[in-house]
Amino acid sequence: MSPISYTVSDIVSILSPDSVVVNDHPVEQLLLDSRNAFLPTTSIFFALISSRRNGHDFIGDLYQKGVRTFVVSQSVEAEPFSDANFIIVADTLQALQQLAAYHRSRFSIPVIGITGSNGKTMVKEWLFQLLQPDHTIVRSPKSFNSQIGVPLSIWQLRSHHTLAIFEAGISQPGEMERLANMIRPTIGVFTNIGDAHSEGFTSLSQKEQEKRKLFIGATLAPKLQLSKVELRSTGALLTAQRVPGDLTSTAQLEIPFSDQASIQNAVTCWELMLYLGYEPTVIADRMKQLAPVDMRLTLKKGINQCVLINDSYSADISSLDIALDFLLRQAGSLRKTVILSDLLQQSNDDEMLYAQVISSLQKRGVDRVIAIGSRLTKALLAHRVSGPWRLETYPSTESFLVAGSLSRFNREAILIKGARAFAFERIVQVLEHQLHETRLEIDLAALLHNLHQYQHILKPATRIMAMVKAFAYGSGATEVASLLQFHKVDYLGVAYADEGVALRKAGITIPIMVMNPEANSFEIMIAHRLEPVIYSIEMWSAFDSWLQKEAIIGYPVHLEIDTGLHRLGLAVEQIQWVVQQILQSASVTVQSIFSHLAASEDPQEDAFTRLQFERFTAAATLLEKKLGYHIIKHIANSAAAIRHPELQLDMIRLGIGLYGVEVAPGLSLLPVATLRSAIAQLRSLPAGESISYNRRTILTRPSVIATVRLGYADGYPRALGNGAGQVLVNGRRVPIVGTICMDMFMIDVTELTDVSVGDEVILFGGSLRVQEVADWAHTIPYAILTGISERVKRIYFEQ
């Protein structure tokens, strides 16, 4: 097949033949999000419209970034964009899908379409592992299985691919027909039917019927009958029959997993490989080598102020582009380094494959490339690519590890991406900033999920201020703020000026409100464009005097009104005086007026919440009338945004809810933080022995006691000792025994049949929610999250 490429003229002929082309250029990237305009000169932007975002609003920004072709469904004033193409369609989402369907029609290779309630992504990734030795495979990135994700997946198809694997997910009737029209699978895989994502269907039967519409024109592999599962220490031995009841068709294979979901997914892969004609011995050999699928790009702190992006479990061209874009988003002002191995996918033409790799690296402005493996090295040297980057080459991972000093890595963002055979996890271990084994994992995908949950309940015009004070509730302010800025949060809130300064130094540019400014911080606030809160007459007088001395006019400030919390804030009766001072001075511009609710989460205090709102409304109305311009008004916190939607106003302040702590029913929030540690030692003790300081716990039976690598110096509450709290070990809850020590504490693992030194211990996260831990410690989730010491390593990952 000849190389497949497109120009703007080609896209116009497919989508809108009447549109005029004023600037013909190659089209390589489909752009749906203005924040991802990394390669603007070869991108085409589809101005999608949703309940909260209208893509047409971002055309100006994208034009400034260099994008010159836009697919639009609304009228756009073309005069400011004289050299831009506007492809006019009735519906931009339909146009995106129409283009994907056309692109798919140009290929005659086998296409595997996967759907079901659970396991779609796992089966897709395992099929990629199993079939990769024989094919050059394109597959859906991550979980790109939606009305938007499927077109982006299909667009990856190129002439060198010999097999495609796409997954499809739906949430209501009528959606699968559109996905099927794009994917057009030749082979179908149905994982299972269950309750996940069932809200849009009247029954499981209707849900299954809708999902199976993907397979019109496709062939499904015959089902295996699983007759026996023998669990082993290394996994599970599976016995199945190709023909039910026919013992002569019995086959066996071993997988390195023993959980039910993995067994089910493995059987699905087994069925497909048999259908494709693979010999049983080949299937058994490859299934035994299945690796866990980690769908996360993990962000870690590295040595010498480096940032590591760990994507060391696979290397193929499709996932390389995704990882490189993640590198660009996270790098900020740091230099960009890529450590890359050979791509061990089947390819008839190494030259074409590695030409794509080189092009991807060049387009994204990588500063240094470290190539490991003979094929990648050969390709880079053959192209004489010293490029815009510095180039280092090594024949193997071992040779890289023994060569040179680690000091050559300094203040850079490093993407580590390698095929599993290269064992790049060894490189990660060397470059990672080593602390003790305890770590706080921050799930950035969960944080985004929670943000979207709130966005769905907000009025379209309501903005969001995300609170990142107190080290972003213990989650790491810089990393969280970078993600929120990328996803277009309107404001950030911090407690003190030094928190805002740190964010500015990390490349955060969106507005930042400082809740508790101090007179000695005025200069650094102005220098770093931080917006102070005026909460008292004394604060107003001090800040106004400083601004007048510096001859500054119209500096943005925020006014806090005390409506009943009685912590900080101007009294309602002081507003008239403050307004007069502002009008006389002209030193400030009031950006917003706000107040804090005392008990918005408590139904018994709803009358007081309404009283606070009435007081606030009176003050805000007076202020806006006297000043004569619009002022942002905000009073709703995480709980009020859900329980009192009439309080959403111009903006809400999103705090603890963003981090997954449920403050009111109504949203499906995910925990963002998981605190993990490990067992340092196991000992068997007889009844009557005491545990830890002060002998508060006396054993009443022979017991197995494990010591955990974490203590109150790490921020773990001492109140959880002596049976008050529990932790998770191997998925089971066990009690804390004895007093919590500074760096250690003990747990009773007597009831566990399989526990070893080094086993992971979960202190909170997942099924052990931080609210429960807070209840045991007689405190609140805020205190648990913000109390985790900064000596505990933070690890960031994105699903």
Side-chain angles (χ1 to χ4, degrees):
M1 182 184 292
S2 60
I4 291 178
S5 60
Y6 295 90
T7 64
V8 176
S9 294
D10 297 325
I11 305 298
V12 166
S13 68
I14 298 166
L15 301 181
S16 179
D18 294 333
S19 295
V20 177
V21 178
V22 299
N23 178 6
D24 210 6
H25 62 77
V27 173
E28 297 177 2
Q29 286 79 35
L30 305 185
L31 185 60
L32 310 182
D33 190 325
S34 61
R35 297 161 294 189
N36 293 334
F38 303 126
L39 308 169
T41 59
T42 56
S43 293
I44 179 171
F45 177 68
F46 286 77
L48 302 183
I49 300 173
S50 69
S51 60
R52 289 197 56 81
R53 292 276 189 263
N54 186 335
H56 297 80
D57 296 338
F58 301 96
I59 289 174
D61 291 342
L62 285 163
Y63 184 83
Q64 293 297 320
K65 293 179 179 179
V67 177
R68 289 297 179 266
T69 300
F70 304 88
V71 179
V72 298
S73 60
Q74 297 178 354
S75 176
V76 177
E77 175 56 53
E79 185 176 348
F81 314 111
S82 58
D83 60 340
N85 305 302
F86 290 96
I87 303 174
I88 303 169
V89 299
D91 185 304
T92 49
L93 177 57
Q94 288 183 11
L96 173 68
Q97 295 177 344
Q98 181 183 344
L99 178 59
Y102 175 85
H103 185 60
R104 164 68 181 91
S105 71
R106 302 182 70 180
F107 297 84
S108 58
I109 63 174
V111 174
I112 300 172
I114 305 174
T115 193
S117 294
N118 298 292
K120 296 184 292 294
T121 301
M122 182 67 73
V123 168
K124 177 200 66 187
E125 292 299 318
W126 275 358
L127 287 176
F128 176 75
Q129 291 181 28
L130 295 164
L131 303 178
Q132 189 182 37
D134 311 301
H135 294 279
T136 302
I137 301 174
V138 60
R139 71 195 192 280
S140 303
K142 303 183 185 177
S143 298
F144 277 33
N145 57 27
S146 67
Q147 299 293 317
I148 293 173
V150 167
L152 297 180
S153 300
I154 292 172
W155 187 252
Q156 298 176 106
L157 271 167
R158 294 295 180 265
S159 56
H160 63 277
H161 290 127
T162 62
L163 177 67
I165 310 176
F166 299 130
E167 56 177 293
I170 60 173
S171 57
Q172 60 187 15
E175 291 184 337
M176 188 59 85
E177 288 93 336
R178 297 195 293 272
L179 299 184
N181 184 54
M182 290 183 282
I183 297 173
R184 290 171 49 201
T186 59
I187 303 168
V189 173
F190 191 85
T191 58
N192 55 55
I193 193 71
D195 292 328
H197 314 296
S198 293
E199 296 83 359
F201 302 95
T202 58
S203 65
L204 284 181
S205 176
Q206 184 200 34
K207 180 179 177 182
E208 180 172 357
Q209 184 178 6
E210 289 292 323
K211 285 181 175 289
R212 287 190 179 274
K213 290 179 180 179
L214 176 64
F215 304 133
I216 296 174
T219 303
L220 277 71
K223 303 298 288 184
L224 286 170
Q225 180 177 320
L226 189 63
S227 57
K228 184 179 180 181
V229 176
E230 181 183 334
L231 299 183
R232 298 179 170 184
S233 60
T234 56
L237 178 66
L238 310 182
T239 304
Q241 296 169 358
R242 299 183 67 172
V243 179
D246 183 0
L247 297 180
T248 63
S249 68
T250 298
Q252 284 188 328
L253 56 74
E254 189 172 353
I255 60 171
F257 306 95
S258 57
D259 62 285
Q260 187 58 43
S262 294
I263 291 171
Q264 185 179 47
N265 293 333
V267 170
T268 301
C269 295
W270 189 3
E271 292 166 348
L272 185 70
M273 293 192 75
L274 286 170
Y275 171 75
L276 293 176
Y278 281 87
E279 291 294 328
T281 54
V282 174
I283 299 174
D285 181 61
R286 293 185 186 178
M287 294 283 278
K288 194 172 184 178
Q289 299 179 55
L290 281 174
V293 175
D294 190 348
M295 298 302 295
R296 310 179 302 184
L297 287 166
T298 308
L299 191 67
K300 300 183 177 183
K301 289 186 177 180
I303 59 173
N304 305 327
Q305 296 180 285
C306 291
V307 171
L308 306 183
I309 297 171
N310 179 16
D311 193 17
S312 60
Y313 86 99
S314 73
D316 60 277
I317 191 65
S318 299
S319 62
L320 174 62
D321 286 341
I322 294 170
L324 286 171
D325 288 344
F326 187 72
L327 171 66
L328 292 185
R329 295 203 299 269
Q330 298 297 332
S333 60
L334 299 175
R335 296 191 307 275
K336 298 179 286 294
T337 293
V338 175
I339 303 177
L340 183 64
S341 78
D342 286 349
L343 275 61
L344 299 183
Q345 62 189 71
Q346 183 74 18
S347 175
N348 296 326
D349 188 347
D350 260 16
E351 184 175 355
M352 179 183 294
L353 175 64
Y354 288 104
Q356 285 183 272
V357 172
I358 292 166
S359 175
S360 294
L361 294 169
Q362 287 175 325
K363 288 175 181 176
R364 289 164 176 83
V366 172
D367 299 294
R368 173 163 56 161
V369 175
I370 298 175
I372 299 179
S374 59
R375 292 169 63 186
L376 177 60
T377 296
K378 179 181 177 181
L380 290 171
L381 296 178
H383 282 76
R384 294 186 173 87
V385 177
S386 56
W389 56 64
R390 288 163 39 214
L391 177 64
E392 299 177 25
T393 63
Y394 300 90
S396 65
T397 302
E398 186 66 33
S399 61
F400 166 80
L401 292 173
V402 300
S405 169
L406 294 179
S407 63
R408 70 188 193 275
F409 296 98
N410 192 4
R411 291 191 57 79
E412 52 198 291
I414 306 170
L415 170 62
I416 304 170
K417 184 164 184 62
R420 187 158 52 96
F422 283 83
F424 269 18
E425 62 272 14
R426 298 169 61 199
I427 296 177
V428 175
Q429 291 171 1
V430 169
L431 295 181
E432 187 178 357
H433 182 55
Q434 296 296 327
L435 300 174
H436 60 78
E437 290 182 72
T438 299
R439 62 200 184 277
L440 185 67
E441 290 187 349
I442 310 301
D443 185 344
L444 299 179
L447 188 141
L448 281 182
H449 167 88
N450 297 339
L451 175 64
H452 294 154
Q453 285 283 301
Y454 274 94
Q455 287 175 331
H456 287 321
I457 66 167
L458 295 184
K459 298 169 180 135
T462 301
R463 310 180 199 183
I464 291 177
M465 175 184 287
M467 306 308 295
V468 293
K469 61 182 180 176
F471 202 50
Y473 291 73
S475 298
T478 298
E479 293 79 5
V480 169
S482 296
L483 184 76
L484 294 171
Q485 174 174 266
F486 183 79
H487 287 275
K488 300 292 186 181
V489 162
D490 303 283
Y491 253 94
L492 298 176
V494 298
Y496 296 100
D498 56 354
E499 294 177 318
V501 170
L503 294 179
R504 288 286 186 242
K505 289 181 177 180
I508 303 302
T509 59
I510 61 177
I512 299 175
M513 184 178 81
V514 180
M515 306 284 287
N516 306 312
E518 299 169 298
N520 61 8
S521 67
F522 291 163
E523 184 173 357
I524 64 168
M525 281 195 299
I526 303 300
H528 292 89
R529 309 180 316 284
L530 306 176
E531 302 174 12
V533 168
I534 303 300
Y535 56 80
S536 68
I537 290 176
E538 294 80 8
M539 177 57 65
W540 159 257
S541 299
F543 192 56
D544 178 53
S545 297
W546 193 90
L547 291 175
Q548 292 196 37
K549 183 183 69 173
E550 298 295 324
I552 295 173
I553 297 175
Y555 195 80
V557 300
H558 304 259
L559 299 187
E560 180 177 1
I561 309 301
D562 179 14
T563 59
L565 184 65
H566 301 320
R567 183 178 61 184
L568 292 176
L570 294 157
V572 174
E573 56 268 22
Q574 294 175 325
I575 291 296
Q576 184 74 45
W577 182 88
V578 171
V579 169
Q580 293 175 351
Q581 297 302 309
I582 292 172
L583 290 172
Q584 292 172 11
S585 171
S587 61
V588 304
T589 298
V590 179
Q591 293 292 102
S592 83
I593 180 172
F594 71 98
S595 186
H596 282 92
L597 296 171
S600 61
E601 73 285 354
D602 188 350
Q604 296 183 8
E605 297 294 344
D606 282 351
F608 188 73
T609 297
R610 288 192 293 272
L611 176 62
Q612 283 193 270
F613 182 50
E614 291 169 5
R615 292 170 176 171
F616 175 73
T617 301
T621 301
L622 173 63
L623 180 69
E624 202 165 52
K625 179 179 178 181
K626 293 291 186 180
L627 293 181
Y629 55 82
H630 176 70
I631 298 167
I632 298 171
K633 295 171 280 294
H634 51 110
I635 191 172
N637 54 15
S638 297
I642 304 170
R643 296 195 64 250
H644 304 282
E646 70 278 11
L647 272 59
Q648 291 178 5
L649 305 180
D650 299 313
M651 185 159 67
I652 68 166
R653 296 188 305 278
L654 189 51
I656 196 72
L658 183 64
Y659 303 95
V661 176
E662 184 178 293
V663 289
L667 298 183
S668 176
L669 301 180
L670 298 177
V672 169
T674 300
L675 181 61
R676 303 178 189 270
S677 190
I679 293 176
Q681 187 178 36
L682 288 166
R683 69 175 72 242
S684 296
L685 296 173
E689 287 293 321
S690 61
I691 307 296
S692 194
Y693 293 115
N694 308 122
R695 305 191 73 232
R696 296 285 187 264
T697 295
I698 306 296
L699 297 179
T700 59
R701 62 173 183 177
S703 303
V704 180
I705 304 300
T707 302
V708 180
R709 300 178 182 276
L710 180 130
Y712 63 77
D714 299 295
Y716 199 62
R718 293 188 81 239
L720 294 173
N722 299 301
Q726 299 177 4
V727 298
L728 287 174
V729 179
N730 297 333
R732 292 185 58 184
R733 295 187 176 205
V734 296
I736 297 172
V737 292
T739 302
I740 305 286
C741 307
M742 179 179 286
D743 307 299
M744 302 276 182
F745 69 89
M746 280 65 81
I747 56 179
D748 186 341
V749 295
T750 308
E751 299 299 325
L752 302 185
T753 58
D754 184 16
V755 62
S756 305
V757 170
D759 280 359
E760 184 175 76
V761 180
I762 296 178
L763 293 307
F764 61 74
S767 63
L768 183 56
R769 299 183 73 86
V770 69
Q771 295 98 313
E772 195 171 3
V773 177
D775 289 342
W776 293 334
H778 304 291
T779 184
I780 57 177
Y782 298 75
I784 299 294
L785 291 172
T786 60
I788 301 303
S789 166
E790 290 194 37
R791 85 172 186 174
V792 174
K793 176 172 56 177
R794 269 69 173 174
I795 294 178
Y796 302 87
F797 61 87
E798 182 174 327
Q799 297 283 6

